[in-house]
Amino acid sequence: MGLLTYLGIYTGDEDASDQDLLVVERKTFKSLCSGLVQQYGCLSNPSWTIASFIKKGHVARVQFVCPHCKQSRVWASCRVLSGHYLANQKLVHAVTCAGMLPCQYMNFALFAGVGVVKQKYISSVYLNQFYQQVVADVAEESMKAAVERVKESLTMLQVERIVGISTLSRQQHRVAQTREVACTKIVLPQVIARGLNITEVAHDYQATIKLYVRQLGMVNSYDTWHGTKNVAKQLRHICAGTVRTRDRTWFTELSDKARCTKVHLYWCMRNCGGNPDRLHAMIMNISKHFQCRDTYWVESFNHQLLTYLPKRIHFHTKTFEMRMNLAVMDWNENCQRMATSHHEYTDVRRPDHHSTYNVLVKKTYRFVNNIWSMYVLRNITSQQILQDEDDDDMVLPDDAAMYDGDYVDSEDDDYVCSEDGGDDEEEDN
């Protein structure tokens, strides 16, 4: 069978519809191509036959045998880093940075036939002594860069970036009602230590946080949503009810006023200029919220956070912190992107209302490459240190793949193709 047999248009071969895919590194592919044209082993029979084809996750390991002299060579579609194939680790890294869950990745890889690594292997990458630390270090650099950008701006409100985070699990703090207070007492000193002058703190309605903020000499504020979230609910008592209580406890004239009143309250807080007398004159029932801040950017970050930390999934503490750091890096890199154009749209429910939205420039993900580069560098450095300490103690497995000194790792084997063409199932490691 020639080299160019399968090049061209797919014609519906009986075996081609369910062919598995694999990931090939460019350098190893070049090595394979050079091996096809160079002379090795027996001069009388320069051709090689495939004795076995083993998939290790997304990587293929092929054993070539000379049919005449029985000399064999092993080729892998990817090199090895710290005892594991580089491609498998990089795909786990890419899936994690994309916010995919392990079950979503496994289903995609299984349906595409590109090979899959199991949950045990994914956990081993997460628990690697370098990976989580690298993610934390790159996130710290992102927040330091955000701090410098805030200092360079005229006002802090012009730069909406994450400059400090704090996470507490149930094991660390079991009382949910006071967990926000504990996180505030952690993150505020953390942000102050970065050299920022904090003058005002906006939060949910927490009296304990209010006292703590005032003790630090800062201005306390409540966010606008918590200031008005119960207005429509309270108005329902006078806007709707039973027929018997009509015009006694509720009135039909007010049935459509709940939402309008809530919108008006937002307008009052946004336009009162921080003047309590003016706000009190405009509306009297929420005068405690005259010192208010719009937490639009905070809620936007919380919405993006669901990409990495969906609420319906329970994560291990270390995994939770790692995904939180990824969300911070994504936000700091892509927040406040420039707009390429402006489009208008009309809501079918409100045909007389025209809204404008911005078409933003495409998101960038430089933090993904930064994490991967630092992770590879630290693993290579660690390998060199171990080899320098004692080269004689390194023992390679019997089925070592003699490609640039790399050896086979312990990823789950999908199957083995033997010389007779049959597929023999292998037991998962």
Side-chain angles (χ1 to χ4, degrees):
M1 184 175 295
L3 178 64
L4 303 179
T5 301
Y6 287 110
L7 291 182
I9 301 175
Y10 172 66
T11 58
D13 302 334
E14 63 277 3
D15 298 330
S17 59
D18 58 350
Q19 289 294 309
D20 279 352
L21 309 178
L22 56 93
V23 176
V24 181
E25 192 181 2
R26 180 183 298 176
K27 186 172 182 179
T28 57
F29 179 72
K30 290 182 178 179
S31 175
L32 176 64
C33 294
S34 63
L36 293 175
V37 298
Q38 294 179 8
Q39 184 69 47
Y40 291 100
C42 183
L43 297 177
S44 60
N45 191 356
S47 63
W48 295 79
T49 61
I50 298 178
S52 64
F53 180 93
I54 303 175
K55 284 196 69 176
K56 295 276 188 177
H58 304 281
V59 181
R61 184 169 62 91
V62 185
Q63 182 180 16
F64 296 94
V65 176
C66 176
H68 183 73
C69 63
K70 303 304 180 183
Q71 180 183 357
S72 64
R73 300 188 73 227
V74 177
W75 173 84
S77 62
C78 181
R79 291 172 291 176
V80 174
L81 176 68
S82 297
H84 297 282
Y85 283 117
L86 188 68
N88 289 339
Q89 296 183 72
K90 188 169 186 178
L91 283 173
V92 171
H93 162 68
V95 165
T96 304
C97 291
M100 294 179 63
L101 298 176
C103 60
Q104 296 172 332
Y105 150 73
M106 290 180 185
N107 288 336
F108 161 75
L110 181 64
F111 299 156
V114 73
V116 63
V117 293
K118 304 299 176 61
Q119 179 64 51
K120 182 178 179 181
Y121 180 82
I122 297 176
S123 300
S124 69
V125 175
Y126 287 169
L127 298 177
N128 184 285
Q129 58 177 335
F130 297 118
Y131 189 77
Q132 292 187 353
Q133 186 60 44
V134 166
V135 173
D137 291 346
V138 177
E140 181 67 19
E141 293 178 1
S142 175
M143 288 186 283
K144 287 182 179 179
V147 170
E148 295 301 323
R149 186 166 182 177
V150 170
K151 291 180 179 179
E152 294 173 358
S153 64
L154 296 178
T155 62
M156 293 185 182
L157 296 179
Q158 292 181 347
V159 181
E160 310 294 344
R161 295 291 187 275
I162 306 298
V163 296
I165 60 173
S166 174
T167 58
L168 290 176
S169 63
R170 291 181 179 178
Q171 289 73 20
Q172 296 169 320
H173 194 95
R174 293 190 174 277
V175 183
Q177 289 77 9
T178 59
R179 194 173 298 146
E180 182 181 356
V181 179
C183 288
T184 302
K185 292 183 178 181
I186 295 175
V187 76
L188 267 182
Q190 179 188 126
V191 174
I192 295 174
R194 298 184 186 275
L196 294 178
N197 182 25
I198 308 300
T199 59
E200 182 179 354
V201 177
H203 58 90
D204 300 348
Y205 188 80
Q206 284 282 355
T208 308
I209 297 181
K210 176 181 177 180
L211 295 175
Y212 175 69
V213 169
R214 289 186 173 179
Q215 289 175 359
L216 296 178
M218 303 175 186
V219 177
N220 178 77
S221 299
Y222 301 132
D223 68 282
T224 56
W225 184 81
H226 282 84
T228 59
K229 68 174 183 178
N230 291 322
V231 172
K233 184 185 298 184
Q234 296 297 328
L235 286 177
R236 289 197 194 103
H237 298 294
I238 60 174
C239 295
T242 62
V243 177
R244 187 173 61 179
T245 59
R246 181 190 299 174
D247 297 330
R248 294 169 53 191
T249 60
W250 70 277
F251 306 90
T252 55
E253 294 83 359
L254 302 177
S255 59
D256 60 340
K257 301 299 187 296
R259 185 177 181 277
C260 297
T261 303
K262 186 175 180 180
V263 173
H264 179 66
L265 295 182
Y266 277 120
W267 182 88
C268 291
M269 288 188 291
R270 193 170 295 176
N271 294 275
C272 68
N275 189 334
D277 296 331
R278 183 180 179 185
L279 178 63
H280 189 269
M282 297 168 70
I283 186 164
M284 300 176 59
N285 61 344
I286 56 168
S287 58
K288 293 182 179 180
H289 289 269
F290 69 90
Q291 188 66 34
C292 55
R293 284 293 180 186
D294 188 359
T295 55
Y296 165 79
W297 292 102
V298 177
E299 300 303 329
S300 297
F301 172 72
N302 291 336
H303 178 72
Q304 179 187 282
L305 198 60
L306 298 177
T307 302
Y308 296 90
L309 293 167
K311 293 183 177 181
R312 63 185 180 86
I313 304 298
H314 174 75
F315 294 96
H316 188 272
T317 302
K318 293 296 184 181
T319 305
F320 184 93
E321 293 175 353
M322 178 187 67
R323 286 178 169 263
M324 173 69 77
N325 287 326
L326 293 174
V328 168
M329 289 182 281
D330 189 357
W331 175 266
N332 285 345
E333 184 173 336
N334 296 290
C335 179
Q336 293 180 310
R337 285 172 290 153
M338 300 296 294
T340 59
S341 59
H342 306 279
H343 286 189
E344 288 190 356
Y345 70 94
T346 303
D347 192 345
V348 294
R349 296 170 296 182
R350 303 173 64 189
D352 58 334
H353 181 73
H354 299 277
S355 301
T356 303
Y357 70 94
N358 298 329
V359 180
L360 305 179
V361 298
K362 189 176 181 180
K363 293 181 66 173
T364 59
Y365 298 94
R366 292 188 297 271
F367 71 94
V368 178
N369 291 331
N370 293 340
I371 294 173
W372 179 248
S373 300
M374 188 179 296
Y375 172 71
V376 172
L377 179 61
R378 292 190 182 182
N379 276 276
I380 293 175
T381 304
S382 176
Q383 287 182 147
Q384 292 174 349
I385 293 175
L386 293 176
Q387 290 176 2
D388 293 340
E389 288 179 353
D390 192 359
D391 293 336
D392 298 333
D393 291 340
M394 181 174 291
V395 179
L396 298 182
D398 295 334
D399 56 348
M402 303 306 297
Y403 173 76
D404 290 350
D406 294 341
Y407 56 91
V408 176
D409 61 341
S410 58
E411 277 92 341
D412 295 331
D413 292 342
D414 289 337
Y415 59 84
V416 176
C417 293
S418 58
E419 188 175 7
D420 57 2
D423 291 351
D424 301 327
E425 295 290 336
E426 283 196 355
E427 184 178 356
D428 290 338
N429 294 332

